[in-house]
């Protein structure tokens, strides 16, 4: 994995690994196909398997795949790192109707936590992660709404991305379709304010993994499908899917708080992801 020889990918109902050591001759390594016996509780969104992401654990030895349609997180052990051969482990069952979307990990003081954001239930599920006898184990710790424990979530909201700060002290979640905020237009010649969805910012308790809300801020537009934090934790780049805009938000790595918009770019079409090239 370290030499970036392999890449991960997932499509509707399948998870695949590829050898990309020869960019002009991609080679399929392994395919895992998922089938549902029956639709999930939210039948129009859970009519089939919908794996949404592949994510490496902090050790680089395991891969997790949240499946929105199946209400599961599939777990794989990398048994041959040189060619990315995988072994399927027991999946994590998530509350029916939740719609698992994305995950991220935090490592603090020798402890590892995994955080799952669910799109259909608009929740954050926290897990304690341990590695007994060379395997991996997930213990569910809590489930809270995307705005924090005891706080309401707007009726038509759709949680999207979850990111952990480089120091594992903070966690940010994006929530689409809220448009509860507005910001000045990025075009200084235009006085019309821009409707904005929300980024919800939390601090992470190093001992328990619990999340405490510290801030809610406008994300810079509509439908923040994905966002990224740079390596030093000073910037957050947010892709506004429905506005065709990428924005940069200043971030204080010490307090974890998000500040002013420091840049933007209009991009043709719907934006599905934005990452830093560092």
């Amino acid at each position: 994995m370290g030499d970036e020889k392999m890449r991960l990918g997932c499509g509707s109902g399948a998870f695949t690994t590829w050898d990309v050591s020869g960019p002009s001759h991609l080679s399929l390594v392994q395919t895992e196909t998922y089938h549902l016996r029956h639709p999930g509780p939210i039948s129009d969104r859970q009519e089939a398997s919908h794996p949404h992401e592949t994510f490496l654990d902090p050790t680089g030895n395991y891969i997790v795949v949240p499946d929105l349609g199946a209400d599961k997180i599939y777990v794989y052990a990398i048994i041959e790192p040189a060619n990315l051969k995988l072994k399927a482990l027991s999946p994590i069952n998530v509350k029916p109707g939740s719609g698992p979307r994305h995950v991220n990990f935090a490592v603090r003081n020798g402890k590892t936590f995994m955080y799952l954001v669910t799109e259909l239930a608009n929740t954050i599920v926290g897990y304690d992660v341990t590695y007994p006898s060379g395997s991996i184990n997930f213990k569910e710790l809590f489930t809270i709404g995307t705005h924090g424990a005891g706080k309401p979530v707007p009726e038509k909201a759709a949680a999207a991305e979850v990111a952990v700060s480089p120091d594992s002290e903070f966690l940010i979640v994006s929530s689409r379709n809220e448009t509860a905020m507005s910001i000045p237009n990025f075009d200084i010649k235009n006085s019309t304010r821009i409707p904005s969805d929300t980024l919800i910012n939390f601090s992470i308790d190093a001992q328990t993994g619990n999340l405490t809300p510290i801030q809610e801020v406008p994300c810079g537009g509509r439908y923040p499908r994905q966002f990224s934090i740079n390596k030093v934790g000073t910037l957050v780049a947010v892709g506004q899917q429905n506005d065709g805009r990428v924005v940069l938000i200043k971030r204080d790595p010490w307090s974890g708080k998000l500040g002013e918009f420091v840049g933007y770019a209009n991009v043709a079409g719907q934006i599905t992801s934005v990452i830093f090239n560092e």
Side-chain angles (χ1 to χ4, degrees):
M1 299 296 295
D3 62 2
E4 299 187 349
K5 178 182 177 182
M6 302 294 174
R7 286 292 182 267
L8 312 178
C10 63
S12 180
F15 161 61
T16 60
T17 59
W18 297 79
D19 184 336
V20 297
S21 56
S24 61
H25 300 285
L26 304 186
S27 175
L28 178 65
V29 176
Q30 187 171 338
T31 299
E32 296 287 328
T33 304
Y34 308 129
H35 300 285
L36 297 186
R37 295 182 179 179
H38 50 76
I42 303 179
S43 57
D44 61 331
R45 297 296 311 282
Q46 297 184 304
E47 81 296 347
S49 170
H50 294 294
H52 258 271
E53 179 186 45
T54 60
F55 207 93
L56 276 170
D57 86 309
T59 71
N61 294 319
Y62 300 92
I63 296 171
V64 292
V65 183
D67 189 330
L68 183 147
D71 286 322
K72 294 181 184 294
I73 304 174
Y74 297 106
V75 183
Y76 297 90
I78 301 174
I79 56 176
E80 295 182 26
N83 57 20
L84 204 60
K85 283 290 186 179
L86 308 177
K87 175 185 177 182
L89 305 179
S90 297
I92 304 168
N93 293 314
V94 182
K95 183 178 179 180
S98 293
R101 183 179 175 86
H102 283 186
V103 299
N104 217 305
F105 289 83
V107 180
R108 298 281 305 279
N109 298 338
K111 294 187 176 183
T112 301
F113 303 104
M114 183 178 78
Y115 298 96
L116 164 71
V117 65
T118 70
E119 178 178 339
L120 303 182
N122 287 289
T123 59
I124 305 169
V125 187
Y127 297 87
D128 178 51
V129 183
T130 54
Y131 298 89
S133 303
S135 186
I136 189 169
N137 184 66
F138 299 87
K139 177 184 177 182
E140 185 173 329
L141 297 174
F142 62 82
T143 299
I144 61 174
T146 48
H147 284 258
K151 294 186 177 181
V153 176
E155 183 179 354
K156 295 183 179 181
E161 181 64 286
V162 56
V164 171
S165 61
D167 57 11
S168 288
E169 293 190 9
F170 302 94
L171 176 144
I172 306 171
V173 169
S174 64
S175 185
R176 300 167 293 177
N177 209 38
E178 292 191 5
T179 57
M181 300 181 176
S182 67
I183 59 174
N185 204 295
F186 289 99
D187 181 356
I188 60 174
K189 298 179 181 180
N190 190 334
S191 61
T192 303
R193 292 181 68 85
I194 295 174
S196 176
D197 286 325
T198 311
L199 295 180
I200 306 104
N201 199 356
F202 298 85
S203 62
I204 300 174
D205 187 286
Q207 297 302 315
T208 65
N210 288 342
L211 301 176
T212 300
I214 60 172
Q215 187 185 33
E216 293 188 12
V217 301
C219 69
R222 297 174 300 159
Y223 244 64
R225 185 184 180 97
Q226 191 270 345
F227 64 92
S228 300
I229 305 173
N230 67 344
K231 288 183 179 179
V232 295
T234 57
L235 290 171
V236 176
V238 189
Q240 319 293 341
Q241 181 178 356
N242 286 2
D243 283 356
R245 180 188 310 113
V246 174
V247 303
L248 287 176
I249 303 174
K250 187 177 180 179
R251 179 180 180 274
D252 180 356
W254 304 109
S255 68
K257 289 192 173 182
L258 304 177
E260 62 184 342
F261 297 103
V262 293
Y264 80 98
N266 294 321
V267 181
Q270 294 194 336
I271 300 169
T272 58
S273 63
V274 52
I275 61 173
F276 288 92
N277 180 16
E278 298 180 281

